Amino acid sequence: AQKITQTQPGMFVQEKEAVTLDCTYDTSDPSYGLFWYKQPSSGEMIFLIYQGSYDQQNATEGRYSLNFQKARKSANLVISASQLGDSAMYFCAMREVNTNAGKSTFGDGTTLTVKP
Amino acid sequence: DGGITQSPKYLFRKEGQNVTLSCEQNLNHDAMYWYRQDPGQGLRLIYYSQIVNDFQKGDIAEGYSVSREKKESFPLTVTSAQKNPTAFYLCASSSGGASQYEQFFGPGTRLTVL
């Protein structure tokens, strides 16, 4: 079974609007971390935001927030006030502490295009 | 500035040749990783190392080999046994294997087999 599922291969958003990128995960490990990375066309991977499985509040980093719904095993990324520079591929990743020796598993990604 | 460097940026290989991709970090991180990315796909783990002189296979280790003789360096060798090596290779490091540590990535190496 896929551990990280990103169901949106591509998304479009108008500049200055908000957009939600979906991520669901599967784990039986009670201790895990969830990450979002951005990959522009240059190929580099840029860390955006982290959510721990025991964190009580949703993580926020500037225009990025993570909508963490633990019971649903969902960790959606919300980008507010989209900018043209947000056009990129976005990856959700999970790291399980106890069951997977700290390895990270990545989803297949969502390509976001911001329209002017 | 601290970071991860990968070289070369582009690499061309003839079939049957082994090639080595370099990855160096000056972040003093214990853990290092190699990923493969095919066009339009996510990252797949090849090998990872959580400490010097120790490394483990990831999900797609066949046809690849690594070494971790120094904390700063984690070179990846793509051997002739790798049937379809053309891909984008990313090296990453993190402070440790615990879940709260994000990975820092290098700029990547694009390998093309001619």
Side-chain angles (χ1 to χ4, degrees):
Chain A
Q2 195 154 0
K3 286 183 175 287
I4 296 286
T5 302
Q6 296 181 252
T7 57
Q8 307 153 314
M11 288 281 286
F12 291 89
V13 65
Q14 208 67 35
E15 195 179 6
K16 300 181 185 177
E17 291 185 350
V19 63
T20 298
L21 306 184
D22 294 342
C23 173
T24 57
Y25 60 92
D26 184 26
T27 182
S28 57
D29 191 334
S31 182
Y32 54 90
L34 296 157
F35 304 82
W36 277 92
Y37 292 88
K38 172 183 178 181
Q39 186 179 42
S41 57
S42 59
E44 63 190 301
M45 293 282 285
I46 303 166
F47 165 71
L48 295 178
I49 196 166
Y50 162 81
Q51 180 84 42
S53 58
Y54 295 114
D55 292 343
Q56 296 296 314
Q57 293 189 329
N58 287 341
T60 60
E61 289 286 348
R63 294 186 299 110
Y64 304 108
S65 61
L66 201 152
N67 184 1
F68 181 45
Q69 299 188 44
K70 194 170 183 177
R72 293 186 175 184
K73 294 187 175 177
S74 163
N76 298 340
L77 177 71
V78 180
I79 305 174
S80 62
S82 297
Q83 302 172 355
L84 295 178
D86 293 335
S87 293
M89 200 154 183
Y90 289 80
F91 291 96
C92 179
M94 176 176 65
R95 177 179 287 176
E96 299 160 292
V97 175
N98 299 311
T99 58
N100 218 9
K103 294 189 296 182
S104 290
T105 303
F106 285 77
D108 287 336
T110 295
T111 300
L112 177 67
T113 303
V114 180
K115 295 181 174 180
Chain B
D1 279 341
I4 301 178
T5 57
Q6 290 185 243
S7 61
K9 187 172 183 179
Y10 298 96
L11 186 57
F12 297 91
R13 186 194 97 172
K14 293 182 180 178
E15 282 195 30
Q17 283 183 336
N18 291 356
V19 290
T20 298
L21 282 58
S22 168
C23 177
E24 303 276 333
Q25 55 99 358
N26 60 4
L27 300 167
N28 201 33
H29 285 170
D30 288 314
M32 296 188 74
Y33 311 81
W34 273 106
Y35 293 93
R36 170 182 171 139
Q37 186 179 29
D38 292 289
Q41 306 283 317
L43 279 63
R44 291 185 290 168
L45 183 64
I46 305 172
Y47 269 97
Y48 65 105
S49 167
Q50 303 220 27
I51 196 168
V52 175
N53 292 323
D54 188 41
F55 49 83
Q56 289 79 39
K57 292 181 179 180
D59 301 318
I60 56 165
E62 185 175 351
Y64 300 98
S65 66
V66 293
S67 63
R68 187 84 187 278
E69 297 176 1
K70 299 187 298 182
K71 188 175 185 177
E72 306 79 34
S73 179
F74 192 41
L76 173 74
T77 297
V78 184
T79 75
S80 56
Q82 170 50 235
K83 298 304 178 190
N84 185 21
T86 295
F88 185 52
Y89 291 87
L90 284 160
C91 178
S93 70
S94 68
S95 292
S99 68
Q100 71 266 31
Y101 297 122
E102 76 268 27
Q103 293 175 311
F104 293 78
F105 286 83
T109 293
R110 293 191 186 276
L111 173 63
T112 302
V113 174
L114 303 173

